[in-house]
Amino acid sequence: MRFLAPEHGARTLRYVTLGVLAGLMASALTGLTGTPGVSTEKVDVRPATVLPALQRPLGTAFGQTSQAEADLGDGTKLAAWQLKDGVKEFHLTAAPLSWTTEPGRVKQGLAINGSIPAPTIRINEGDKVRIVFTNNMSDGSALHWHGMELPNSQDGVPDLTQPQVAPGQSFTYQWTAVSTGTHWYHSHMGGDQEGRGVYGALEVVPLLGDIPADHDYTIETGDGALGFVMNGKSYPATPVLSAAVGERVHIRLIGTGPELTHSIHIHGGYFTVVAQDGRPLINPIQMDTVTLGIGQTYDLIWTPVNPGKWMIHCHIFSHSETMAGMTGMVIIANVTPATVKLPAVG
Ligand SMILES: [Cu+2]
């Protein structure tokens, strides 16, 4: 269902072609497995019925006109939006926030809508988006949409593509989502704002759907003024990711920096890297450690084979461990025994 899209001219045709092929395949499967003599009039033959266990509430449902802020189960939040004149409108306000990275450690953070990381912007390919950014920080700023193909005037580089958004002022961005996959957005005003929390995931769901998985988690690494953090927290305050043996766990790694590269390792087996910087890999790579540079994103699929509490951590020990135990860039995946999933009926 995923594919490379190097040239935009052929993209629409390719979608239509793949859509038709997927529909034919689904119809054929339904025909092969159906009971002779039983009417299939009401059977939904969309590809979704072929893989019922792997469908996720990703992307915007048909007819959806608003989205409330929501907990994504990994220590991050989904950004709210409202549809106005066919445009998804987001409101992002950056402001100082005292932020507890772990028990007893309070830092001076900079949050968007009270969240570190900033809320995840999840949109569909082709969506028109409007983002009203209000800067309530003490310095000028601008938001950059990392990985997006958009007009230069909307790129969010202060003093190059736009004036700095002064404290107390707002700036409205508007663009259409062309680049698909896992990306991110961040302050482009020096590294300090980014290091204090002005960054968030930017996920553009392809027209044909996202990478199939049972769970969809994002891990945003940080190494600025907040210390060594994953999703804004240091171990033991980092979120616990839930999964069961045999499930496909999609992990979106985002290296937000602002200074360091991290060596991300998952215990208990290998994972498959299926995309880099939002682009699907023609040949997915099986690894157990991936080097995550600043600005890079990776999409991993990990299928745990044994239950237990498995570490996901930076393998640079000064970022994740001391003689007193684990610290900093460590997240635990709590894997429960396998469950049996029965296929959907009817
Ligand atoms: Cu590290």
Side-chain angles (χ1 to χ4, degrees):
M1 303 297 281
R2 302 269 300 188
F3 46 85
L4 289 172
E7 66 286 304
H8 299 155
R11 180 178 292 175
T12 302
L13 177 62
R14 205 173 316 157
Y15 280 141
V16 171
T17 307
L18 283 175
V20 169
L21 284 173
L24 289 172
M25 286 172 63
S27 299
L29 281 171
T30 304
L32 286 171
T33 56
T35 306
V38 174
S39 169
T40 57
E41 253 181 39
K42 292 181 180 176
V43 172
D44 185 346
V45 295
R46 292 174 301 177
T49 60
V50 178
L51 299 169
L54 298 179
Q55 295 309 305
R56 299 171 301 129
L58 273 184
T60 306
F62 182 75
Q64 186 178 346
T65 57
S66 67
Q67 171 69 55
E69 188 173 83
D71 183 349
L72 289 174
D74 55 11
T76 66
K77 291 177 181 171
L78 185 63
W81 55 263
Q82 279 200 316
L83 196 66
K84 293 185 178 177
D85 301 324
V87 181
K88 285 180 179 171
E89 184 171 294
F90 296 79
H91 289 261
L92 303 180
T93 300
L97 179 70
S98 289
W99 183 251
T100 302
T101 57
E102 61 182 292
R105 183 168 292 182
V106 180
K107 302 277 189 173
Q108 190 55 58
L110 295 171
I112 286 185
N113 297 355
S115 294
I116 297 175
T120 292
I121 293 179
R122 183 176 285 161
I123 50 183
N124 290 357
E125 181 181 8
D127 278 352
K128 294 176 180 171
V129 296
R130 181 185 303 122
I131 300 123
V132 181
F133 169 53
T134 300
N135 178 15
N136 286 338
M137 301 181 288
S138 57
D139 296 307
S141 190
L143 291 183
H144 168 60
W145 315 101
H146 193 115
M148 295 294 104
E149 297 175 26
L150 38 63
N152 186 247
S153 62
Q154 304 303 298
D155 198 40
V157 182
D159 304 322
L160 178 67
T161 64
Q162 66 172 90
Q164 294 182 22
V165 183
Q169 299 297 306
S170 295
F171 186 92
T172 299
Y173 299 91
Q174 187 158 322
W175 41 270
T176 300
V178 175
S179 312
T180 57
T182 301
H183 302 278
W184 62 302
Y185 67 99
H186 59 89
S187 160
H188 220 293
M189 194 69 194
D192 187 61
Q193 291 179 352
E194 185 179 290
R196 291 182 187 275
V198 187
Y199 58 82
L202 173 53
E203 300 166 1
V204 182
V205 179
L207 281 175
L208 286 179
D210 217 319
I211 298 166
D214 295 296
H215 300 279
D216 187 317
Y217 296 128
T218 299
I219 297 177
E220 298 168 57
T221 60
D223 50 50
L226 300 183
F228 293 118
V229 293
M230 284 177 156
N231 291 349
K233 296 286 186 177
S234 299
Y235 187 86
T238 46
V240 174
L241 307 184
S242 298
V245 168
E247 290 186 324
R248 281 170 59 95
V249 183
H250 180 187
I251 298 175
R252 305 169 190 258
L253 295 178
I254 303 176
T256 77
E259 301 295 342
L260 299 172
T261 292
H262 300 283
S263 178
I264 306 299
H265 174 53
I266 299 181
H267 284 211
Y270 64 89
F271 50 78
T272 305
V273 181
V274 296
Q276 179 180 6
D277 297 333
R279 271 61 172 186
L281 299 184
I282 297 172
N283 295 308
I285 310 167
Q286 295 181 339
M287 310 173 84
D288 64 33
T289 307
V290 62
T291 304
L292 180 65
I294 305 163
Q296 286 188 307
T297 77
Y298 283 97
D299 289 82
L300 319 179
I301 293 293
W302 175 51
T303 300
V305 295
N306 286 304
K309 298 187 189 316
W310 298 105
M311 282 182 79
I312 302 173
H313 69 107
C314 177
H315 220 296
I316 299 171
F317 277 106
S318 60
H319 300 179
S320 61
E321 206 162 310
T322 69
M323 291 300 285
M326 293 187 293
T327 183
M329 305 179 82
V330 178
I331 276 181
I332 302 298
N334 186 28
V335 177
T336 54
T339 55
V340 176
K341 286 187 177 177
L342 298 175
V345 178

